[in-house]
Amino acid sequence: MLTATRAVIVFACLTMANCGIFHAMPVVDKQPVLGSCCPPITRRQNSIPVHYVTGTHYEVGFSVGRTFGSIIKEYVRLYEPLQSEFLPMYAQPEGKEIYEESLKSTQKYFPQYVNELQGLADGAEVPFHVLFLMALDDTLPKNLNASSKDKGPIGCTSLIINQPNAQLLGHTEDALSETTNNYYIVAAHVLPDETEMGGIFQAREEKFEALAYAGHLPGYASGHNYYGLVFSINTIFVSKPLRGKIPREFITRALLSSRADLGEILDILTNEGVGTADGFNVNFGFLHVPKESRVFHTVEVTPKTDSDRSEVYLADFGIGNNSLHTNRLLHLKYPELDEAAYGSSLSRESRYKQMTANKTAASIQDMLEVLGNREDDPWPVFSDKPDARVSTINLGVFDFNKKTWTMWGNDPINNSPLLQLPLTFTDLIDPVGNDININRIEVVDTFYPDK
């Protein structure tokens, strides 16, 4: 198993290598505390760790867990829904039964990803059931008919721009404020061993880069793989997640292994034989197609009552068409929670319509103006108030023409990007297997959008 980790920080004097790593002296915006040698650390740190790792699913998970163990433990301690709801409910007989039903289904379908989560838990020295409970999310409280707190306007915003001079997928990661700084990028080359085979979804060689929340599998946020699939995920807050089904985090993890094939992606999301426990939306496009014929897609995925599969709806966006998707269903009909996340989605959609009423978003600058907008209180597109219950912890833009993934840790209107990774995997070694075979693409020039 090979591993390496790089932490990317904003600096006073910036230089950038092809792999997207900055070097120079750090910016200090506060005076040192009296009697201390060092300045205080701000809540929103200008840092995006990137972890490079090669190994089996278990080894990859273990390496990530060992490297980010302190972050994972801190997040587990601070994550209020886990401490106040999930763990107490897991201690109840019916709660444990619901947990075991979902785990059994997941092991049957995706044993390789259960292994990966076990490795993550072992590496971080955190009990496995704690991490699986976070993946289960609302499945326990909703099936126990327990009253749960409104988490606030939690969710994300994905914007697709498919115009003649710009083909972009932008995505904000919006999460409970305790998630701020508690995420990282996993850049992995996975070579499963024999013990990780045998699931309904067959294990295969994988090579991907994806944002991961501390203690979670990569894939339930945004990322891309060696086949040219580029995607982002938005949570859909359904009122009745189904017990005995597969947590959505494991289904989206499988997307990182998929070929850039629409049929296979729909098969993964449909999850024939079990189905998703909860709702989500996927926004994606394929890198290795001519720009003149590139089509972007969004898919809504919900549980399907009385059926061993997920319900899916596909929408396509060809040249000249854009798409904004938040955290509510636009096409499928499935009961949703009437909580702040739904109201926030309506607010963000309204802001987008206002901003594009007389002007089609057609450039990176247009995208940043939309996704960096902070005008609506209490539900802005980009949330970064110090006392906000939900914060935008990351903004990423995939540029399909420049073949880059550029990320910000703070609002993109007033801040430069923190990190840029090539979508061509020139920052990773070539796969050793024969399963992945795509011609290499030259590195593009470093890109900084004009303010």
Side-chain angles (χ1 to χ4, degrees):
M1 177 177 64
L2 301 175
T3 66
T5 302
R6 294 171 177 170
V8 183
I9 306 174
V10 165
F11 297 106
C13 302
L14 297 179
T15 61
M16 194 177 203
N18 286 334
C19 59
I21 305 301
F22 295 100
H23 306 276
M25 295 299 292
V27 170
V28 176
D29 58 3
K30 292 186 178 181
Q31 294 299 316
V33 177
L34 186 63
S36 170
C37 67
C38 305
I41 299 297
T42 59
R43 187 179 74 91
R44 297 178 69 93
Q45 296 180 37
N46 292 317
S47 175
I48 303 177
V50 183
H51 186 64
Y52 293 88
V53 57
T54 299
T56 65
H57 284 283
Y58 180 84
E59 290 172 336
V60 166
F62 186 90
S63 177
V64 173
R66 185 180 67 84
T67 302
F68 299 110
S70 61
I71 293 177
I72 294 170
K73 289 174 183 174
E74 178 186 17
Y75 183 61
V76 165
R77 179 179 62 83
L78 294 176
Y79 190 50
E80 196 270 339
L82 173 70
Q83 298 296 338
S84 67
E85 297 181 41
F86 304 162
L87 285 172
M89 292 174 187
Y90 172 76
Q92 301 174 21
E94 188 177 1
K96 184 68 177 295
E97 183 179 335
I98 293 171
Y99 170 96
E100 293 292 350
E101 289 172 356
S102 291
L103 178 58
K104 181 179 179 180
S105 295
T106 308
Q107 287 175 321
K108 178 182 177 181
Y109 217 99
F110 297 119
Q112 65 271 45
Y113 302 138
V114 174
N115 268 20
E116 193 170 309
L117 191 69
Q118 183 68 65
L120 185 65
D122 291 348
E125 298 180 340
V126 172
F128 172 85
H129 75 272
V130 170
L131 302 189
F132 194 80
L133 283 171
M134 291 200 299
L136 269 180
D137 202 15
D138 284 339
T139 302
L140 269 185
K142 298 307 178 187
N143 280 279
L144 288 174
N145 296 316
S147 59
S148 56
K149 295 180 181 178
D150 187 331
K151 296 186 181 72
I154 190 171
C156 306
T157 305
S158 290
L159 174 59
I160 290 169
I161 293 179
N162 192 4
Q163 300 297 326
N165 295 319
Q167 294 181 313
L168 309 163
L169 170 58
H171 182 73
T172 63
E173 283 298 334
D174 301 321
L176 293 177
S177 293
E178 50 260 42
T179 312
T180 304
N181 305 319
N182 291 330
Y183 72 95
Y184 36 79
I185 306 297
V186 177
H189 180 195
V190 185
L191 299 165
D193 65 16
E194 293 182 359
T195 66
E196 296 171 336
M197 303 294 184
I200 294 176
F201 185 82
Q202 287 294 314
R204 59 181 72 165
E205 181 181 2
E206 303 180 13
K207 192 176 185 184
F208 63 82
E209 294 176 326
L211 189 149
Y213 289 88
H216 289 269
L217 293 174
Y220 196 70
S222 55
H224 69 112
N225 71 11
Y226 199 80
Y227 291 107
L229 172 65
V230 180
F231 69 91
S232 67
I233 304 293
N234 295 316
T235 296
I236 302 296
F237 296 92
V238 302
S239 60
K240 189 64 176 179
L242 299 183
R243 60 188 293 173
K245 303 292 186 177
I246 295 178
R248 54 197 169 197
E249 179 175 312
F250 288 85
I251 296 174
T252 60
R253 171 63 184 84
L255 287 176
L256 289 170
S257 76
S258 66
R259 280 69 169 169
D261 177 83
L262 182 59
E264 184 183 49
I265 290 168
L266 292 176
D267 286 344
I268 289 172
L269 298 176
T270 301
N271 197 241
E272 191 73 45
V274 184
T276 182
D278 217 329
F280 60 97
N281 151 251
V282 187
N283 311 273
F284 63 97
F286 302 128
L287 189 68
H288 304 302
V289 297
K291 60 180 294 186
E292 296 79 12
S293 58
R294 179 169 287 124
V295 176
F296 286 85
H297 312 274
T298 70
V299 179
E300 292 180 351
V301 186
T302 65
K304 189 173 177 63
T305 307
D306 300 324
S307 178
D308 293 332
R309 61 186 296 274
S310 308
E311 186 76 44
V312 301
Y313 183 96
L314 171 70
D316 302 324
F317 299 88
I319 296 287
N321 294 280
N322 297 342
S323 168
L324 183 91
H325 210 295
T326 57
N327 304 103
R328 71 183 189 99
L329 294 170
L330 302 178
H331 305 286
L332 291 178
K333 304 298 181 183
Y334 193 92
E336 298 177 71
L337 291 172
D338 185 16
E339 294 185 346
Y342 195 92
S344 171
S345 294
L346 292 173
S347 176
R348 285 173 276 150
E349 291 167 12
S350 176
R351 172 56 58 183
Y352 172 70
K353 290 177 182 177
Q354 292 178 42
M355 296 182 71
T356 58
N358 300 309
K359 174 188 176 184
T360 299
S363 67
I364 179 69
Q365 287 77 17
D366 293 339
M367 174 165 280
L368 296 182
E369 287 177 7
V370 172
L371 296 182
N373 188 278
R374 299 184 291 168
E375 292 185 49
D376 299 300
D377 192 14
W379 296 327
V381 178
F382 195 100
S383 176
D384 62 353
K385 289 187 176 180
D387 59 348
R389 181 71 185 97
V390 171
S391 295
T392 302
I393 64 171
N394 177 278
L395 166 63
V397 176
F398 296 98
D399 190 320
F400 284 69
N401 295 333
K402 292 182 178 291
K403 297 181 173 60
T404 54
W405 183 12
T406 308
M407 284 170 264
W408 288 256
N410 288 285
D411 83 87
I413 307 300
N414 301 300
N415 296 276
S416 297
L418 275 175
L419 172 66
Q420 185 181 84
L421 294 173
L423 298 181
T424 56
F425 286 91
T426 49
D427 57 327
L428 284 169
I429 59 175
D430 284 331
V432 296
N434 296 320
D435 189 37
I436 298 177
N437 184 19
I438 294 177
N439 293 331
R440 293 178 64 85
I441 301 173
E442 293 300 319
V443 180
V444 299
D445 292 335
T446 297
F447 166 70
Y448 283 96
D450 295 329
K451 289 187 178 180

